[in-house]
Amino acid sequence: QVQPEESGGGLVQPGGSLRLSCVTSGRTHRNYEVAWFRQGSGKEREFVAAIRWAGGSTWYADLVRGRFTISVDNAKNTVYLQMNSLKPEDTAAYYCAARPRQVINTISSSSSYIYWGQGTQVIVSS
């Protein structure tokens, strides 16, 4: 029902900002949760942020809390990840994922997400 497609990655200097976009095609998004994950070179996939499409609840990983903001534009079927004060350790491929709203699996459980985008690369370097 949902096909995520990410964009907005690129090269940015430390302290800079980027806004990632995730267009989620599908008939409805009301019952879905959308999350951003990232995976650095040679590292495991890790949770970044998530949002409940209906209701506006959000979750953030400790490493990005206060710097990143996740939001939804219902008219455009798009989830955004505004990334400020970027650090070199934020360098990674960022993936948008979606799942039907769940109560059992935690919001940060990557294995619980069914739909995944192809990823967009973020490089933070001087």
Side-chain angles (χ1 to χ4, degrees):
Q1 297 185 28
V2 177
Q3 178 57 61
E5 184 175 358
E6 309 96 331
S7 64
L11 175 64
V12 64
Q13 294 184 336
S17 299
L18 283 174
R19 189 180 74 164
L20 305 183
S21 299
C22 174
V23 179
T24 55
S25 61
R27 181 178 294 273
T28 181
H29 302 273
R30 293 179 299 173
N31 299 320
Y32 280 78
E33 294 164 335
V34 181
W36 289 94
F37 293 85
R38 68 186 184 186
Q39 186 169 16
S41 179
K43 299 181 179 180
E44 295 184 350
R45 181 176 52 193
E46 65 178 2
F47 172 78
V48 177
I51 189 168
R52 185 168 292 160
W53 199 274
S57 297
T58 59
W59 297 263
Y60 295 94
D62 290 341
L63 289 173
V64 306
R65 185 175 292 108
R67 298 188 298 121
F68 292 9
T69 302
I70 188 170
S71 61
V72 171
D73 187 327
N74 289 314
K76 297 181 179 180
N77 289 332
T78 300
V79 174
Y80 299 100
L81 183 67
Q82 179 66 47
M83 305 185 296
N84 299 325
S85 301
L86 284 164
K87 305 175 181 179
E89 49 263 44
D90 295 319
T91 297
Y94 283 72
Y95 297 89
C96 181
R99 72 180 191 183
R101 182 174 178 174
Q102 299 179 22
V103 66
I104 297 177
N105 293 304
T106 63
I107 199 69
S108 61
S109 176
S110 61
S111 62
S112 67
Y113 288 82
I114 300 174
Y115 308 101
W116 291 82
Q118 73 280 11
T120 184
Q121 184 68 43
V122 173
I123 301 175
V124 184
S125 178
S126 299

PDB file of all heavy atoms in Angstrom, residues 10-31:
ATOM      1  N   GLY A  10      22.949  14.652   0.163  1.00  0.00           N
ATOM      2  CA  GLY A  10      24.020  15.379  -0.483  1.00  0.00           C
ATOM      3  C   GLY A  10      25.197  15.577   0.441  1.00  0.00           C
ATOM      4  O   GLY A  10      25.276  14.986   1.514  1.00  0.00           O
ATOM      5  N   LEU A  11      26.111  16.428   0.011  1.00  0.00           N
ATOM      6  CA  LEU A  11      27.310  16.748   0.779  1.00  0.00           C
ATOM      7  C   LEU A  11      27.104  18.060   1.518  1.00  0.00           C
ATOM      8  O   LEU A  11      26.689  19.063   0.927  1.00  0.00           O
ATOM      9  CB  LEU A  11      28.518  16.850  -0.149  1.00  0.00           C
ATOM     10  CG  LEU A  11      29.839  17.293   0.467  1.00  0.00           C
ATOM     11  CD1 LEU A  11      30.316  16.268   1.485  1.00  0.00           C
ATOM     12  CD2 LEU A  11      30.879  17.510  -0.621  1.00  0.00           C
ATOM     13  N   VAL A  12      27.399  18.059   2.795  1.00  0.00           N
ATOM     14  CA  VAL A  12      27.237  19.248   3.613  1.00  0.00           C
ATOM     15  C   VAL A  12      28.372  19.322   4.622  1.00  0.00           C
ATOM     16  O   VAL A  12      28.896  18.295   5.057  1.00  0.00           O
ATOM     17  CB  VAL A  12      25.868  19.245   4.331  1.00  0.00           C
ATOM     18  CG1 VAL A  12      25.778  18.083   5.310  1.00  0.00           C
ATOM     19  CG2 VAL A  12      25.612  20.568   5.024  1.00  0.00           C
ATOM     20  N   GLN A  13      28.768  20.524   4.987  1.00  0.00           N
ATOM     21  CA  GLN A  13      29.823  20.711   5.965  1.00  0.00           C
ATOM     22  C   GLN A  13      29.296  20.509   7.377  1.00  0.00           C
ATOM     23  O   GLN A  13      28.100  20.680   7.631  1.00  0.00           O
ATOM     24  CB  GLN A  13      30.426  22.111   5.840  1.00  0.00           C
ATOM     25  CG  GLN A  13      31.172  22.354   4.542  1.00  0.00           C
ATOM     26  CD  GLN A  13      31.836  23.709   4.497  1.00  0.00           C
ATOM     27  OE1 GLN A  13      31.427  24.634   5.190  1.00  0.00           O
ATOM     28  NE2 GLN A  13      32.873  23.836   3.685  1.00  0.00           N
ATOM     29  N   PRO A  14      30.165  20.132   8.303  1.00  0.00           N
ATOM     30  CA  PRO A  14      29.727  20.016   9.697  1.00  0.00           C
ATOM     31  C   PRO A  14      29.072  21.303  10.178  1.00  0.00           C
ATOM     32  O   PRO A  14      29.545  22.399   9.897  1.00  0.00           O
ATOM     33  CB  PRO A  14      31.027  19.736  10.445  1.00  0.00           C
ATOM     34  CG  PRO A  14      31.904  19.078   9.436  1.00  0.00           C
ATOM     35  CD  PRO A  14      31.568  19.757   8.128  1.00  0.00           C
ATOM     36  N   GLY A  15      27.970  21.155  10.892  1.00  0.00           N
ATOM     37  CA  GLY A  15      27.208  22.294  11.351  1.00  0.00           C
ATOM     38  C   GLY A  15      26.132  22.741  10.391  1.00  0.00           C
ATOM     39  O   GLY A  15      25.285  23.566  10.753  1.00  0.00           O
ATOM     40  N   GLY A  16      26.145  22.208   9.188  1.00  0.00           N
ATOM     41  CA  GLY A  16      25.173  22.568   8.183  1.00  0.00           C
ATOM     42  C   GLY A  16      23.865  21.826   8.340  1.00  0.00           C
ATOM     43  O   GLY A  16      23.672  21.063   9.288  1.00  0.00           O
ATOM     44  N   SER A  17      22.968  22.046   7.375  1.00  0.00           N
ATOM     45  CA  SER A  17      21.630  21.468   7.434  1.00  0.00           C
ATOM     46  C   SER A  17      21.242  20.834   6.109  1.00  0.00           C
ATOM     47  O   SER A  17      21.703  21.238   5.037  1.00  0.00           O
ATOM     48  CB  SER A  17      20.594  22.539   7.795  1.00  0.00           C
ATOM     49  OG  SER A  17      20.845  23.114   9.059  1.00  0.00           O
ATOM     50  N   LEU A  18      20.392  19.842   6.194  1.00  0.00           N
ATOM     51  CA  LEU A  18      19.779  19.209   5.039  1.00  0.00           C
ATOM     52  C   LEU A  18      18.352  18.837   5.397  1.00  0.00           C
ATOM     53  O   LEU A  18      18.045  18.581   6.564  1.00  0.00           O
ATOM     54  CB  LEU A  18      20.529  17.944   4.616  1.00  0.00           C
ATOM     55  CG  LEU A  18      21.835  18.080   3.843  1.00  0.00           C
ATOM     56  CD1 LEU A  18      22.470  16.707   3.661  1.00  0.00           C
ATOM     57  CD2 LEU A  18      21.603  18.737   2.494  1.00  0.00           C
ATOM     58  N   ARG A  19      17.491  18.809   4.399  1.00  0.00           N
ATOM     59  CA  ARG A  19      16.142  18.321   4.594  1.00  0.00           C
ATOM     60  C   ARG A  19      15.889  17.168   3.645  1.00  0.00           C
ATOM     61  O   ARG A  19      15.908  17.336   2.425  1.00  0.00           O
ATOM     62  CB  ARG A  19      15.095  19.413   4.377  1.00  0.00           C
ATOM     63  CG  ARG A  19      13.688  18.962   4.784  1.00  0.00           C
ATOM     64  CD  ARG A  19      12.633  20.026   4.588  1.00  0.00           C
ATOM     65  NE  ARG A  19      12.293  20.226   3.182  1.00  0.00           N
ATOM     66  CZ  ARG A  19      11.207  20.860   2.755  1.00  0.00           C
ATOM     67  NH1 ARG A  19      10.351  21.376   3.651  1.00  0.00           N
ATOM     68  NH2 ARG A  19      10.977  21.006   1.465  1.00  0.00           N
ATOM     69  N   LEU A  20      15.647  16.015   4.214  1.00  0.00           N
ATOM     70  CA  LEU A  20      15.324  14.839   3.433  1.00  0.00           C
ATOM     71  C   LEU A  20      13.819  14.736   3.249  1.00  0.00           C
ATOM     72  O   LEU A  20      13.051  15.094   4.137  1.00  0.00           O
ATOM     73  CB  LEU A  20      15.841  13.572   4.111  1.00  0.00           C
ATOM     74  CG  LEU A  20      17.335  13.533   4.462  1.00  0.00           C
ATOM     75  CD1 LEU A  20      17.690  12.181   5.058  1.00  0.00           C
ATOM     76  CD2 LEU A  20      18.184  13.840   3.245  1.00  0.00           C
ATOM     77  N   SER A  21      13.424  14.233   2.090  1.00  0.00           N
ATOM     78  CA  SER A  21      12.012  14.047   1.791  1.00  0.00           C
ATOM     79  C   SER A  21      11.737  12.584   1.500  1.00  0.00           C
ATOM     80  O   SER A  21      12.561  11.896   0.889  1.00  0.00           O
ATOM     81  CB  SER A  21      11.588  14.891   0.582  1.00  0.00           C
ATOM     82  OG  SER A  21      11.776  16.266   0.827  1.00  0.00           O
ATOM     83  N   CYS A  22      10.589  12.132   1.923  1.00  0.00           N
ATOM     84  CA  CYS A  22      10.155  10.769   1.657  1.00  0.00           C
ATOM     85  C   CYS A  22       8.729  10.830   1.128  1.00  0.00           C
ATOM     86  O   CYS A  22       7.794  11.066   1.899  1.00  0.00           O
ATOM     87  CB  CYS A  22      10.227   9.910   2.919  1.00  0.00           C
ATOM     88  SG  CYS A  22       9.555   8.239   2.735  1.00  0.00           S
ATOM     89  N   VAL A  23       8.583  10.645  -0.169  1.00  0.00           N
ATOM     90  CA  VAL A  23       7.268  10.609  -0.785  1.00  0.00           C
ATOM     91  C   VAL A  23       6.728   9.190  -0.660  1.00  0.00           C
ATOM     92  O   VAL A  23       7.371   8.241  -1.099  1.00  0.00           O
ATOM     93  CB  VAL A  23       7.319  11.035  -2.257  1.00  0.00           C
ATOM     94  CG1 VAL A  23       5.925  10.952  -2.880  1.00  0.00           C
ATOM     95  CG2 VAL A  23       7.868  12.439  -2.377  1.00  0.00           C
ATOM     96  N   THR A  24       5.574   9.070  -0.069  1.00  0.00           N
ATOM     97  CA  THR A  24       4.980   7.758   0.168  1.00  0.00           C
ATOM     98  C   THR A  24       3.717   7.624  -0.660  1.00  0.00           C
ATOM     99  O   THR A  24       2.669   8.167  -0.313  1.00  0.00           O
ATOM    100  CB  THR A  24       4.659   7.553   1.651  1.00  0.00           C
ATOM    101  OG1 THR A  24       3.829   8.623   2.121  1.00  0.00           O
ATOM    102  CG2 THR A  24       5.938   7.532   2.471  1.00  0.00           C
ATOM    103  N   SER A  25       3.817   6.905  -1.748  1.00  0.00           N
ATOM    104  CA  SER A  25       2.668   6.689  -2.609  1.00  0.00           C
ATOM    105  C   SER A  25       1.753   5.637  -1.994  1.00  0.00           C
ATOM    106  O   SER A  25       2.211   4.683  -1.356  1.00  0.00           O
ATOM    107  CB  SER A  25       3.113   6.254  -4.002  1.00  0.00           C
ATOM    108  OG  SER A  25       3.834   5.028  -3.958  1.00  0.00           O
ATOM    109  N   GLY A  26       0.469   5.814  -2.201  1.00  0.00           N
ATOM    110  CA  GLY A  26      -0.496   4.880  -1.664  1.00  0.00           C
ATOM    111  C   GLY A  26      -1.846   5.530  -1.479  1.00  0.00           C
ATOM    112  O   GLY A  26      -1.963   6.759  -1.458  1.00  0.00           O
ATOM    113  N   ARG A  27      -2.853   4.699  -1.338  1.00  0.00           N
ATOM    114  CA  ARG A  27      -4.208   5.202  -1.224  1.00  0.00           C
ATOM    115  C   ARG A  27      -4.454   5.926   0.098  1.00  0.00           C
ATOM    116  O   ARG A  27      -5.135   6.944   0.139  1.00  0.00           O
ATOM    117  CB  ARG A  27      -5.205   4.049  -1.379  1.00  0.00           C
ATOM    118  CG  ARG A  27      -6.662   4.463  -1.298  1.00  0.00           C
ATOM    119  CD  ARG A  27      -7.581   3.288  -1.501  1.00  0.00           C
ATOM    120  NE  ARG A  27      -7.478   2.762  -2.857  1.00  0.00           N
ATOM    121  CZ  ARG A  27      -8.184   3.212  -3.883  1.00  0.00           C
ATOM    122  NH1 ARG A  27      -9.058   4.200  -3.709  1.00  0.00           N
ATOM    123  NH2 ARG A  27      -8.022   2.688  -5.081  1.00  0.00           N
ATOM    124  N   THR A  28      -3.886   5.372   1.172  1.00  0.00           N
ATOM    125  CA  THR A  28      -4.099   5.965   2.482  1.00  0.00           C
ATOM    126  C   THR A  28      -2.858   5.827   3.347  1.00  0.00           C
ATOM    127  O   THR A  28      -2.081   4.883   3.196  1.00  0.00           O
ATOM    128  CB  THR A  28      -5.293   5.300   3.192  1.00  0.00           C
ATOM    129  OG1 THR A  28      -5.500   5.915   4.468  1.00  0.00           O
ATOM    130  CG2 THR A  28      -5.045   3.813   3.370  1.00  0.00           C
ATOM    131  N   HIS A  29      -2.664   6.779   4.229  1.00  0.00           N
ATOM    132  CA  HIS A  29      -1.555   6.766   5.168  1.00  0.00           C
ATOM    133  C   HIS A  29      -2.006   6.871   6.617  1.00  0.00           C
ATOM    134  O   HIS A  29      -1.176   6.882   7.519  1.00  0.00           O
ATOM    135  CB  HIS A  29      -0.586   7.917   4.878  1.00  0.00           C
ATOM    136  CG  HIS A  29      -0.011   7.897   3.502  1.00  0.00           C
ATOM    137  ND1 HIS A  29       1.120   7.193   3.189  1.00  0.00           N
ATOM    138  CD2 HIS A  29      -0.419   8.498   2.362  1.00  0.00           C
ATOM    139  CE1 HIS A  29       1.394   7.361   1.907  1.00  0.00           C
ATOM    140  NE2 HIS A  29       0.472   8.146   1.382  1.00  0.00           N
ATOM    141  N   ARG A  30      -3.292   6.946   6.839  1.00  0.00           N
ATOM    142  CA  ARG A  30      -3.815   7.232   8.166  1.00  0.00           C
ATOM    143  C   ARG A  30      -3.398   6.213   9.211  1.00  0.00           C
ATOM    144  O   ARG A  30      -3.203   6.565  10.377  1.00  0.00           O
ATOM    145  CB  ARG A  30      -5.337   7.329   8.120  1.00  0.00           C
ATOM    146  CG  ARG A  30      -5.886   8.519   7.341  1.00  0.00           C
ATOM    147  CD  ARG A  30      -7.396   8.517   7.332  1.00  0.00           C
ATOM    148  NE  ARG A  30      -7.913   7.314   6.680  1.00  0.00           N
ATOM    149  CZ  ARG A  30      -9.192   6.976   6.639  1.00  0.00           C
ATOM    150  NH1 ARG A  30     -10.102   7.753   7.220  1.00  0.00           N
ATOM    151  NH2 ARG A  30      -9.573   5.857   6.021  1.00  0.00           N
ATOM    152  N   ASN A  31      -3.278   4.966   8.820  1.00  0.00           N
ATOM    153  CA  ASN A  31      -2.978   3.897   9.757  1.00  0.00           C
ATOM    154  C   ASN A  31      -1.517   3.454   9.725  1.00  0.00           C
ATOM    155  O   ASN A  31      -1.199   2.351  10.166  1.00  0.00           O
ATOM    156  CB  ASN A  31      -3.880   2.699   9.490  1.00  0.00           C
ATOM    157  CG  ASN A  31      -5.346   3.031   9.657  1.00  0.00           C
ATOM    158  OD1 ASN A  31      -5.732   3.761  10.565  1.00  0.00           O
ATOM    159  ND2 ASN A  31      -6.177   2.489   8.770  1.00  0.00           N
TER     160      ASN A  31
END
